[in-house]
Amino acid sequence: MILVTGAAGGLQGSTGRHVVDLLLERGEAVRAFVRSDDQRAAELRKLGAEVVVGDLREISSVRPAMRGVTRAFFTYPVTAGLLDAAAAFAAAAREEGVARVVEVSQLDASPEAATPRMRRHWVAEQVFDWAGVGAVHLRAGVFFENLAVVVAAAGRLALPLGAPDTWIPLVAGQDVARVGAGLLLDPAPSDPVCLVNGQMATVGEAAEAFGVEYADVPPEAWAARAMEVYGDEVAVEHLSHLWALFRFIGHGDHPLYRVTESIERYGGRPPMTLREFTG
């Protein structure tokens, strides 16, 4: 039995839902963890997943969901509660003797990272490592889906990224899920950190792929508009710091700015391009 969180999907990449689909296609037994018993949960049941409803931040929800599980996939949306959820999940996985937890982190997760969210992800990684559950951390670039949210809200790629030649490390949520599913089913030992980046593109090139114009907007104006779109202070805080980081690097070199081989190695196909995603 494989436990998958974020199984209902959402706007931020839907990696959990993609992982459920991939595992079920391969005949695996899947327990899908969802927050609400809604239409999306009903669809998961129709596909053949066992659905459990609960709050990832509550150990009283996570412990029963973890019973009988041998491997697990952990992802948490960009909102408050990441460290609470990671701690509950790690504790329950350790108690159950789970052999591997694959968890979605961020490309530059470190104690010195430029965004609070990335620093929290690094702490979450440490918690999973201390739990001794064979954790593999998927340090992923910016999801294509995050840019799609911006385009859908503004009708253009309106971001505070400065010049159109500012680089962005990008990846499809589906590719992160393919890597995650591959690692869940791979019996071989794995490095604890797996970088997942599918494409380097300038923000101007990204706008062209969506068929819209790029507009550089002041950071304060972007943050105010973002609260209307995301309705979440943590999400706006993270994205504001993230865009500032990319704007600072600009078109310069960065050790993490490269396409990684992990997508083809564990996902079984070359990375999806942004044009494929938008097409």
Side-chain angles (χ1 to χ4, degrees), residues 124-234:
E125 291 182 3
Q126 307 312 300
V127 171
F128 280 112
D129 289 344
W130 296 333
V133 291
V136 181
H137 315 294
L138 304 184
R139 291 187 180 172
V142 177
F143 287 5
F144 294 163
E145 290 83 352
N146 287 330
L147 299 187
V149 169
V150 175
V151 171
R156 56 183 183 166
L157 193 57
L159 291 170
L161 287 175
D165 65 353
T166 298
W167 283 113
I168 314 175
L170 296 167
V171 67
Q174 291 182 39
D175 280 340
V176 177
R178 288 190 182 97
V179 174
L183 283 164
L184 285 169
L185 299 179
D186 191 344
S190 173
D191 291 336
V193 172
C194 180
L195 300 180
V196 189
N197 196 46
Q199 181 178 354
M200 287 303 307
T202 68
V203 64
E205 291 169 342
E208 290 177 7
F210 279 100
V212 299
E213 67 174 356
Y214 164 63
D216 177 34
V217 295
E220 298 78 9
W222 184 87
R225 172 62 175 150
M227 275 304 299
E228 299 175 13
V229 175
Y230 295 95
D232 189 292
E233 292 181 357
V234 173

Side-chain angles (χ1 to χ4, degrees), residues 252-271:
D253 190 26
H254 190 283
L256 296 177
Y257 278 20
R258 61 183 179 85
V259 175
T260 59
E261 53 83 31
S262 57
I263 295 171
E264 191 157 7
R265 178 180 178 186
Y266 296 111
R269 55 152 283 173

Side-chain angles (χ1 to χ4, degrees), residues 23-228:
L23 294 175
L24 289 175
E25 288 170 5
R26 299 176 193 183
E28 300 295 328
V30 176
R31 183 174 294 155
F33 194 107
V34 299
R35 181 66 185 265
S36 303
D37 197 352
D38 54 18
Q39 180 59 37
R40 295 175 299 171
E43 291 173 358
L44 290 166
R45 291 189 182 97
K46 289 180 182 178
L47 289 172
E50 175 189 338
V51 175
V52 293
V53 182
D55 185 340
L56 274 178
R57 300 167 299 179
E58 287 291 341
I59 191 66
S60 59
S61 291
V62 180
R63 283 184 78 209
M66 196 70 72
R67 289 182 187 133
V69 167
T70 57
R71 297 196 170 201
F73 181 82
F74 176 85
T75 185
Y76 193 82
V78 184
T79 189
L82 170 63
L83 294 180
D84 289 336
F89 203 84
R94 178 179 176 84
E95 182 181 50
E96 193 62 27
V98 171
R100 175 170 290 178
V101 172
V102 177
E103 65 105 8
V104 179
S105 185
Q106 291 184 325
L107 192 60
D108 197 21
S110 73
E112 298 87 16
T115 84
R117 178 74 176 190
M118 288 181 182
R119 297 194 292 272
R120 294 183 196 117
H121 266 296
W122 181 83
V123 175
E125 291 182 3
Q126 307 312 300
V127 171
F128 280 112
D129 289 344
W130 296 333
V133 291
V136 181
H137 315 294
L138 304 184
R139 291 187 180 172
V142 177
F143 287 5
F144 294 163
E145 290 83 352
N146 287 330
L147 299 187
V149 169
V150 175
V151 171
R156 56 183 183 166
L157 193 57
L159 291 170
L161 287 175
D165 65 353
T166 298
W167 283 113
I168 314 175
L170 296 167
V171 67
Q174 291 182 39
D175 280 340
V176 177
R178 288 190 182 97
V179 174
L183 283 164
L184 285 169
L185 299 179
D186 191 344
S190 173
D191 291 336
V193 172
C194 180
L195 300 180
V196 189
N197 196 46
Q199 181 178 354
M200 287 303 307
T202 68
V203 64
E205 291 169 342
E208 290 177 7
F210 279 100
V212 299
E213 67 174 356
Y214 164 63
D216 177 34
V217 295
E220 298 78 9
W222 184 87
R225 172 62 175 150
M227 275 304 299
E228 299 175 13

